[in-house]
Amino acid sequence: MITIKSDAGQKFRNSLLERFDISDIIFLKRANWSGIVTETDRLYSTMLHDWDVLQKDSTDIEKAVKSLDWSVTPYVSKGEKVTPLAEDVARLVEDALWHRSSVEAGEFGRTFSQLLGVLCHAVFRGQNVHQIVWKNENGFIYPARFEQLAPQYLQWETEPGKPDRLLLVPDGAVAQPVPFPKYKFIVALNNTGPDHPLYNASYYSLVAWFVAFKRGLGWFMEFCQQYGLPKPVFHYDNPDDKETLIRDLNDRRVINALLLEGDRQVEWASVPAAGQSLPQRELLNMAEAAVHKAVLGQTLTSDAGGSYAQAKVHAGVQ
């Protein structure tokens, strides 16, 4: 039986992205063509943890799934009555699933109820795999905890002629990928879309918006520097005076000033009047609306953030 040993170093090898150049993002988005999910998973994780609205919406879905009433129903053939054996089996399964976990304090492992919520992230990222850690207590065998596999242990089949499936890389590096052994792993795939799970990942549609969101913040700061602060204008006739003037401004911590040589004049653009929206603000609002549609399926056309109607739509979809 294959067992993946917990490796504390994986979290450092899967650190979040720091660069958001368009060329880098495009490369990461297309990296799944190789069947290796490491980089695309890293891109998704970065988007999830760097984009507050995406994190909130996905967390809301996760909480909603965990809050559902989960139970085990005895098996019964159509038209027949439930047998006592089926009821006993159902009780045994339910006891095993909800039996106390063996997740120690500070240990990164999930209980069954936590697993239910996390599995829904397969919809967003395309796949999600957990290893089942079984435990035997005086003959009572139950899933003690669930450990999420790092993306290095996952790879899609790439050899033509073989069944298309997600495979396990036992050493997380160079070992030959193998099928998942039975009864040891829970593999969640996004099969809800019309295409392969690699492309069904709903976060794919948000990658461009994420780049716009990250760059939009920079544009917004530049806009504020240009139009949001009073900008003193200094004229000088002698070019030799320029360096002295710059030194004096630096000493006085003047960081937003315009220097004009001779009689040159400048005309300032005014801040948009009330009721007019800033392009940067519109960009951020549009990016957030894209997240709501992709994650919550929001259909409300009003963009009044935080409105009662919008909250009702979010709650209903959730």
Side-chain angles (χ1 to χ4, degrees), residues 130-143:
H130 282 74
Q131 178 177 228
I132 307 173
V133 179
W134 294 96
K135 194 169 184 178
N136 189 334
E137 286 186 358
N138 300 321
F140 180 63
I141 302 173
Y142 66 97

Side-chain angles (χ1 to χ4, degrees), residues 7 23 28 32 36 42 53 59 65 104 130 153 171 200:
D7 182 0
S23 58
L28 292 175
N32 63 1
I36 301 174
R42 189 180 176 204
V53 66
T59 301
V65 172
E104 303 296 336
H130 282 74
Y153 293 100
D171 65 350
N200 282 342

Side-chain angles (χ1 to χ4, degrees), residues 222-234:
E222 291 177 8
F223 188 91
C224 289
Q225 289 182 13
Q226 297 240 356
Y227 303 109
L229 299 173
K231 190 184 299 291
V233 180
F234 299 91

